[in-house]
Amino acid sequence: MIEVRNLTRVFRTYKKRPGFLGGLYGLFKRDFEEIAAAKEVSFDIAEGEFVGFLGPNGAGKTTTLKMLAGLIYPTGGSARVAGFDPTRRENAYRRIFALVLGQKNQLWWDLPAQESFLLLRHIYNLPAADYKATLDELVELLGVGPKLNVMVRELSLGERMKMELIAALLHRPRVLFLDEPTIGLDVVSQKAVRQFLRDYNRRHRVTILLTSHYMAD
Ligand SMILES: Nc1ncnc2c1ncn2[C@@H]1O[C@H](COP(=O)(O)OP(=O)(O)OP(=O)(O)O)[C@@H](O)[C@H]1O
Ligand SMILES: [Mg+2]
């Protein structure tokens, strides 16, 4: 399902010298530094597998997931997800994967989650019956029914993450990229999210690639 070969991303960053004179110097001569955020990453993941992606801060996990989602371009190597080349950003590919970034909000802050879900229904052009069945199943599994009409900014971190997961799964993706979906959650919520993902993976055979700093994940 996922084939990654020598995937590499080098960022070129400007190194500013300290202080005002350093800034002045930078106007005439720029010192660049090349940082390999991901260096020759290779792996294979079969359909339906649930894989944890571990590594210290700065190892390149988020960068790799962003390349697999087509958000940033690799500077070397290649990747295939379900036969698609993510760098081409084809609509057919966008319909079959989802990316959840635990450190970022993807839902509309000033709207109840339910409204963002409706927007997604239109973006993905989901038939009403499918949408309702999927939403009901996810809401039931995650136990967030009473919170659907609450502004996202008023939700707790754990409730918000559950809503983010629902938003990511509404279009029934076959591949799920999760970047620290349990970050900052209390042990009970971490367990709930973990259990949900495990059940969902078994039930629907989605392929999941998850990063986390909690070994229990
Ligand atoms: N846009 C960017 N420009 C320059 N350097 C970057 C950029 N994005 C990431 N990096 C660098 O690439 C390296 C890998 O970053 P990345 O976010 O992929 O790590 P990570 O494994 O997800 O770490 P963490 O566990 O802290 O989330 C880091 O050294 C980071 O500073
Ligand atoms: Mg990261």
Side-chain angles (χ1 to χ4, degrees):
M1 192 62 150
I2 306 179
E3 284 177 18
V4 175
R5 293 288 172 273
N6 302 318
L7 202 61
T8 301
R9 169 69 206 216
V10 175
F11 285 107
R12 193 159 172 257
T13 51
Y14 163 51
K15 258 177 74 183
K16 184 189 167 294
R17 297 190 173 200
F20 173 73
L21 284 177
L24 210 58
Y25 176 88
L27 291 175
F28 298 98
K29 190 172 181 302
R30 302 225 128 194
D31 300 326
F32 287 101
E33 188 180 35
E34 299 215 319
I35 301 171
K39 204 168 164 188
E40 308 207 346
V41 182
S42 300
F43 56 81
D44 288 282
I45 299 177
E47 181 164 14
E49 264 191 297
F50 190 160
V51 176
F53 197 23
L54 301 176
N57 290 133
K61 303 178 296 296
T62 302
T63 304
T64 304
L65 291 190
K66 284 182 177 170
M67 287 192 282
L68 291 177
L71 284 184
I72 57 175
Y73 276 70
T75 48
S78 63
R80 290 222 149 241
V81 184
F84 291 98
D85 173 356
T87 62
R88 300 184 58 179
R89 303 183 176 193
E90 289 160 274
N91 280 340
Y93 177 52
R94 294 187 216 203
R95 293 192 76 91
I96 62 142
F97 82 92
L99 169 71
V100 177
L101 298 166
Q103 317 229 38
K104 287 227 165 88
N105 278 301
Q106 296 179 93
L107 294 169
W108 225 285
W109 200 237
D110 293 315
L111 289 178
Q114 192 147 42
E115 310 267 316
S116 291
F117 297 162
L118 270 176
L119 178 65
L120 287 168
R121 161 161 130 64
H122 289 287
I123 288 174
Y124 287 103
N125 205 3
L126 305 170
D130 291 0
Y131 167 78
K132 191 176 178 311
T134 311
L135 184 59
D136 288 351
E137 182 198 352
L138 293 168
V139 167
E140 158 99 46
L141 278 172
L142 286 164
V144 286
K147 300 286 178 181
L148 281 175
N149 293 311
V150 176
M151 301 289 173
V152 166
R153 68 180 134 83
E154 290 167 7
L155 295 176
S156 78
L157 197 59
E159 289 160 356
R160 185 177 64 70
M161 183 46 65
K162 289 175 181 171
M163 298 300 186
E164 297 273 355
L165 286 170
I166 294 178
L169 292 169
L170 279 175
H171 63 293
R172 295 238 171 248
R174 291 166 59 204
V175 183
L176 201 51
F177 301 120
L178 303 172
D179 194 29
E180 304 195 47
T182 50
I183 190 164
L185 304 193
D186 67 47
V187 279
V188 178
S189 302
Q190 277 184 35
K191 210 171 154 192
V193 167
R194 207 178 292 144
Q195 188 66 42
F196 164 76
L197 290 172
R198 190 159 38 196
D199 290 348
Y200 192 84
N201 164 258
R202 288 208 187 118
R203 199 187 285 208
H204 297 288
R205 255 178 80 75
V206 285
T207 309
I208 306 180
L209 182 54
L210 170 147
T211 81
S212 176
H213 288 290
Y214 303 115
M215 287 312 287
D217 290 352

